[in-house]
Amino acid sequence: MRILVKEHEGHTIRLMLPSGLVLNSLTASFLPKYLEEQGIHITREQARVFVKELNRFRKRHKDWKLVEVQGADGDIVDIRL
């Protein structure tokens, strides 16, 4: 997973995280509790299946953009799988 943040002033932050660290069964076990606080109800099994399918999608579609945001002041945030 790659996270890129560019500020309009010229500063750039690049983070590269191993997808296996972010998208694993341990993360899937914490996901339902966090989503419950946001008002979204899913079971642990559903979260586990979601993470598994997201990993499968990541392997087929390398460098896929999850998020691309451009602020009014020129800041850019880009998150890729």
Side-chain angles (χ1 to χ4, degrees), residues 15-62:
L15 298 173
M16 290 192 196
L17 302 171
S19 296
L21 184 66
V22 179
L23 302 172
N24 58 40
S25 59
L26 181 64
T27 305
S29 67
F30 291 116
L31 191 60
K33 184 178 179 184
Y34 172 75
L35 291 176
E36 187 76 30
E37 294 171 1
Q38 307 302 317
I40 301 170
H41 307 286
I42 65 169
T43 65
R44 283 188 181 193
E45 180 63 24
Q46 289 171 329
R48 190 186 64 74
V49 170
F50 174 73
V51 168
K52 183 178 177 181
E53 290 301 318
L54 194 55
N55 273 319
R56 204 163 84 179
F57 185 86
R58 177 184 57 84
K59 289 176 184 176
R60 286 188 182 160
H61 305 282
K62 296 193 185 285

Side-chain angles (χ1 to χ4, degrees), residues 6-22:
K6 286 186 180 179
E7 292 183 358
H8 68 283
E9 298 171 354
H11 298 94
T12 302
I13 299 171
R14 293 175 194 214
L15 298 173
M16 290 192 196
L17 302 171
S19 296
L21 184 66
V22 179

